[in-house]
Amino acid sequence: MEIRETIKPNSGYDSFPCFLRRGKVMKDPSKLIPLPGVESPQTILNVFGSIHGTKNKKAHFLVDNLGLGARDIIYYSDKDLAIGAVINALGRAFILARCDEFTQQYYKERYGIEDFTPLELTKSEMPVDPPRPDTPPYAGWGTEEDSLVSWKTLEMKPHVKDYRKFAEKEKDVLRFDAKLYNPLQKVNRDRRFTINYYMADDTTQVYENLHPNTGLPKGNFFFRGRVKKAGYQPELGNKPEYYEPKEFFVGNILNINSFDFQLLEGDEFTYSYMERNKEMFPAADICICLNKIREAFGPLQAEDILKCFAENDTRLQGVMDLRNFRSLLLQISKCALNEHEIQVLSYQISGSRGFYL
């Protein structure tokens, strides 16, 4: 009997498929290694006399030709093999689940067996993967990706990056003007920042603009890197959550390096890029904005809607400034629309991002 292991690709096991070399397999593996002196080529019986002979008296021995001291070792044969049978191979239990066509033909001709239905194993009989240890918390050295790779393997390897995504979106950079949200100090109220979000590797950079006569220097406020959301506690073992592209829209508040930033507006490339990729940016999807407006209006008719907008037309010229339009939408939608969605609606109606529409 020979047992070979079927190794799946990328399973992590070494390429040694031979689990048991070809040979006879005992049914009782406890008799595999006998005690010293139990097995010998011949059994000699002491007929009479002492064990060691003397000059005057010799010892007489007789060979046991009947094999009275031999052990009866039972090995597996072809009669013991059948679908559903359990074989104990050196202390390992194997369940025979199926066989090939040659084996079926052999048992059909020799033993007259006709049923070769494969055995379906239940969940309790399926092999169970050993429990994996929990990932240790981030120690603070390097990045989380590099630390995780060094924990999974002893061979130090760099973190594998998505170079295809980097090549496709190398020039896709979202730029937003931002300010500090509810600053405690008065000097921080007039500070303005430029937040860049790089779609190639999902990193964020915060650049502080020039503020004349304030004594605050311009330059990098937060170097380019992935930003974790607030509330991440590595000592508790929870996984960090990073900001995603859908969370970058006008009016949203981001916590970057323990500072709250409110996004004020974006450049023309940012608006057009978000509108072209609506599946990644729900705030730039005009369909979602219109559905919110429909739910807010409810059973109102078109005449009622026109009358509502006509009452807010202060110039009586069929033109409404963006400020009144924003306040009207917030009043109708009960603040269900954010600033970016209001800008998307105004752009779709007027065709420009100007002051009047």
Side-chain angles (χ1 to χ4, degrees), residues 9 13 29 54 66 83 89 91 255 258 287 313 353:
Y13 291 96
T54 60
L66 299 178
I83 295 179
N255 185 281
S258 301
C287 297
D313 185 9
R353 306 186 192 276

Side-chain angles (χ1 to χ4, degrees), residues 314-325:
T314 57
R315 296 173 178 250
L316 301 178
Q317 298 177 356
V319 179
M320 182 181 297
D321 59 72
L322 184 59
R323 183 178 303 173
N324 293 337
F325 181 72

Side-chain angles (χ1 to χ4, degrees), residues 20-304:
L20 180 65
R21 290 189 304 174
R22 180 179 176 181
K24 293 182 177 181
V25 179
M26 298 180 182
K27 290 187 176 181
D28 187 5
S30 61
K31 300 180 181 180
L32 181 63
I33 303 177
L35 296 176
V38 174
E39 286 188 354
S40 58
Q42 292 180 345
T43 302
I44 301 177
L45 304 178
N46 186 5
V47 181
F48 59 88
S50 60
I51 299 177
H52 305 285
T54 60
K55 292 182 179 181
N56 300 327
K57 191 175 182 180
K58 295 182 179 180
H60 298 271
F61 299 95
L62 180 65
V63 178
D64 184 12
N65 295 325
L66 299 178
L68 299 177
R71 296 189 307 158
D72 294 333
I73 302 177
I74 303 176
Y75 298 95
Y76 282 106
S77 63
D78 56 351
K79 299 179 181 179
D80 303 316
L81 305 182
I83 295 179
V86 180
I87 296 177
N88 190 346
L90 305 181
R92 301 287 185 90
F94 292 88
I95 302 177
L96 303 184
R98 57 182 59 89
C99 59
D100 56 4
E101 295 181 359
F102 176 81
T103 306
Q104 295 179 8
Q105 187 66 25
Y106 173 81
Y107 277 90
K108 185 182 297 183
E109 295 176 355
R110 182 156 186 177
Y111 297 103
I113 300 176
E114 298 291 341
D115 187 12
F116 298 98
T117 305
L119 181 63
E120 298 294 336
L121 301 180
T122 60
K123 292 184 178 181
S124 60
E125 295 174 341
M126 293 292 292
V128 181
D129 296 334
R132 296 179 59 87
D134 297 333
T135 304
Y138 174 58
W141 298 95
T143 61
E144 287 85 349
E145 293 81 3
D146 292 335
S147 300
L148 186 61
V149 171
S150 63
W151 176 76
K152 288 183 177 179
T153 177
L154 295 177
E155 184 180 358
M156 302 299 293
K157 297 180 180 179
H159 174 64
V160 180
K161 299 181 180 180
D162 191 353
Y163 291 100
R164 177 176 297 181
K165 177 182 177 182
F166 189 86
E168 293 176 353
K169 301 182 179 182
E170 181 180 3
K171 298 182 180 180
D172 298 343
V173 182
L174 306 182
R175 294 179 176 87
F176 293 91
D177 290 337
K179 69 175 183 178
L180 292 175
Y181 180 73
N182 290 337
L184 299 179
Q185 299 179 358
K186 185 178 180 180
V187 68
N188 294 330
R189 297 177 183 176
D190 297 332
R191 299 174 68 180
R192 293 296 180 265
F193 303 85
T194 300
I195 297 180
N196 299 330
Y197 185 81
Y198 298 87
M199 298 293 297
D201 53 357
D202 299 328
T203 55
T204 306
Q205 181 187 19
V206 180
Y207 184 86
E208 185 169 5
N209 301 330
L210 178 63
H211 309 287
N213 302 324
T214 58
L216 298 175
K218 67 174 184 179
N220 279 323
F221 185 86
F222 180 81
F223 287 95
R224 181 177 176 179
R226 299 186 67 185
V227 180
K228 303 186 212 47
K229 294 183 179 180
Y232 169 57
Q233 298 178 352
E235 61 274 3
L236 299 180
N238 53 358
K239 296 182 180 180
E241 295 182 1
Y242 298 93
Y243 281 110
E244 300 178 357
K246 63 180 181 181
E247 295 169 313
F248 284 82
F249 56 87
V250 176
N252 194 21
I253 299 174
L254 306 177
N255 185 281
I256 301 176
N257 199 19
S258 301
F259 289 89
D260 292 333
F261 292 91
Q262 184 179 13
L263 304 183
L264 300 178
E265 60 179 351
D267 57 3
E268 188 62 29
F269 173 80
T270 301
Y271 288 125
S272 60
Y273 183 86
M274 295 175 67
E275 293 171 2
R276 289 196 309 267
N277 301 273
K278 300 177 182 179
E279 65 280 355
M280 300 176 59
F281 303 95
D285 193 349
I286 185 63
C287 297
I288 297 178
C289 300
L290 293 177
N291 290 332
K292 291 183 179 181
I293 294 296
R294 292 191 187 98
E295 294 177 359
F297 279 116
L300 293 179
Q301 301 297 325
E303 295 79 6
D304 299 331

